[in-house]
Amino acid sequence: MFSSPEEVFEKEKKYMMQTYKRPRMVLKEGKGATVKDSFGKEYIDCVGGIAVNAVGYCHPMVVNAIKEQAGKLMHISNLYYTEPQVELAEKLSGISGMDKVFFCNSGAESVEAALKLASKVTGKHKFIAAEGSFHGRTLGSLSVTFETKFRSVFEPLLLNGVEFVRYNDAEAIRKAMDDDTAAVILEPIQGETGIIIPSEGYLKEVREICTEEGVLLILDEIQTGFGRTGRWFCKEHEDVEPDIMTVAKAMGAGFPIGAMLAKEGIEFETSEHASTFGGNPLACATALAAIKVIEDEKLVERSRELGAYFMEKLHEDAIGSNPIVKEIRGKGLMIGIELTKPCGEMVEKALERNILINCTSDTVVRLVPPLVISKEQIDKVISVLYEILQ
Ligand SMILES: *Cc1c(COP(=O)(O)O)cnc(C)c1O
């Protein structure tokens, strides 16, 4: 259809809103933890579709599940029962320890649902979020997103009772609470802000404060979920149970699907919330296959082990002691390398050397590869990063 990558770039510019800045290459196919561009150049992918492609590209079980379900019933609306949806709800409940599920199509939508649900069950309308938070781009989810660069041109936003407090400071949350506080919303690790990992005990303390004050706790596990941090969900590291949890990204192995999960009794009633596409049979069959791959191939454990290996190698190979490197932090295969300067140049140089990495919050190189990445591929990534840093 296109005669050259240049034609793709030109038409993209002509016909699409310029919301994304991208490198000049066109990606065509992927397998495992690698992708190929239109010239057949192969890259090791440490971006993973932004922590989405956990089971790797074109996993046969996922591809087959899509083919099979697409040949049966793709969409029917939520006016009718379907089996994949109910099966997925049961499965999600089992792996997450949450009781009830509402299906939607993206991360931001699951946050919207969570905010609405918290308002409805508490009858209150204020939210507390953390400085540095990222919860999505729709007006509601943007209202609890901190960064000025995402918000400023749209202000005033929809929710006006949002207070931002310092991340990793549980007492600040207590101080921000008042009689109209519905919920606290937090990422267990801040992803978009540069893989910010709170101190041990923080989430537990927040949980206790919320329970004492009768305020709901919403954990946004959209980026950290489905094995990314070496547990099914990041909350397990600290044994913390939220009242509401949001998931999306890796849930459908690349097929768009999200869900809001909640504890018994924290629920919408008939007609209070809905989504036309939410939880359609194709999306749910795909997510069921993705979860089965994570189970069968023990990807949660793999994330934990390879994450530890990755971190150890980063330190061993003197990347951590390079003067440009400020800090390396991570949990499972969610790793950030904070530099003392913007990392755009490093991203470009890695691309030239067949490695995809990306930059969050200007100075942090984010590594969130497919959980199926191999040790050899990790070694390759590290040697390239080392070379660039030299
Ligand atoms: C990506 C992300 C979102 C938004 O998800 P979309 O699917 O892009 O709407 C929300 N919260 C967190 C923590 C995320 O990483």
Side-chain angles (χ1 to χ4, degrees), residues 126-370:
K126 258 190 64 179
F127 292 90
I128 297 171
E131 291 176 5
S133 64
F134 182 86
H135 298 291
R137 309 280 197 149
T138 55
L139 285 169
S141 63
L142 193 58
S143 301
V144 288
T145 290
F146 181 71
E147 288 294 328
T148 323
K149 68 176 181 216
F150 300 137
R151 308 167 50 102
S152 60
V153 299
F154 307 107
E155 281 174 337
L157 292 168
L158 284 189
L159 300 173
N160 43 29
V162 179
E163 190 153 343
F164 292 98
V165 300
R166 250 182 52 203
Y167 192 55
N168 205 18
D169 180 350
E171 275 310 312
I173 286 179
R174 192 199 299 274
K175 282 193 200 108
M177 286 175 175
D178 68 24
D179 292 343
D180 196 34
T181 306
V184 173
I185 180 165
L186 291 174
E187 295 157 88
I189 293 176
Q190 290 187 330
E192 295 305 300
T193 314
I195 320 293
I196 311 292
I197 304 174
S199 345
E200 220 181 299
Y202 169 64
L203 289 178
K204 235 186 158 76
E205 208 180 326
V206 173
R207 172 69 272 181
E208 279 161 18
I209 292 170
C210 286
T211 306
E212 278 166 32
E213 305 290 334
V215 167
L216 297 178
L217 175 61
I218 304 169
L219 281 187
D220 180 347
E221 292 249 22
I222 291 167
Q223 193 158 151
T224 49
F226 297 96
R228 176 54 53 194
T229 71
R231 303 271 176 201
W232 271 103
F233 297 95
C234 194
K235 70 187 175 83
E236 294 162 41
H237 288 287
E238 293 212 32
D239 207 8
V240 164
E241 287 303 322
D243 301 291
I244 301 175
M245 186 165 104
T246 56
V247 294
K249 289 203 163 89
M251 181 174 172
F255 198 94
I257 183 168
M260 176 197 55
L261 314 175
K263 292 288 184 186
E264 194 77 47
I266 301 174
E267 297 170 32
F268 286 124
E269 280 151 63
T270 310
S271 300
E272 285 182 338
H273 198 52
S275 164
T276 298
F277 289 124
N280 88 8
L282 186 58
C284 291
T286 312
L288 278 166
I291 292 170
K292 184 148 178 20
V293 173
I294 297 175
E295 286 176 332
D296 288 356
E297 299 185 6
K298 302 201 168 13
L299 295 183
V300 179
E301 293 80 358
R302 190 183 170 90
S303 170
R304 190 154 66 227
E305 283 155 20
L306 286 187
Y309 176 77
F310 212 140
M311 291 286 285
E312 197 184 300
K313 286 289 262 184
L314 283 169
H315 286 290
E316 236 172 53
D317 288 32
I319 288 177
S321 53
N322 190 295
I324 305 168
V325 175
K326 196 168 158 196
E327 192 183 27
I328 301 172
R329 39 184 190 257
K331 232 175 205 166
L333 282 169
M334 184 170 187
I335 296 171
I337 305 174
E338 183 168 359
L339 306 181
T340 54
K341 58 175 202 171
C343 46
E345 197 187 332
M346 186 151 172
V347 171
E348 273 168 39
K349 288 191 165 154
L351 188 72
E352 284 165 19
R353 293 164 172 80
N354 299 31
I355 307 284
L356 301 186
I357 52 177
N358 114 298
C359 191
T360 67
S361 86
D362 290 344
T363 56
V364 181
V365 174
R366 169 169 51 184
L367 305 167
V368 282

Side-chain angles (χ1 to χ4, degrees), residues 91-102:
K91 187 83 224 174
L92 280 177
S93 167
I95 58 175
S96 71
M98 304 299 283
D99 300 309
K100 291 283 167 79
V101 180
F102 175 86

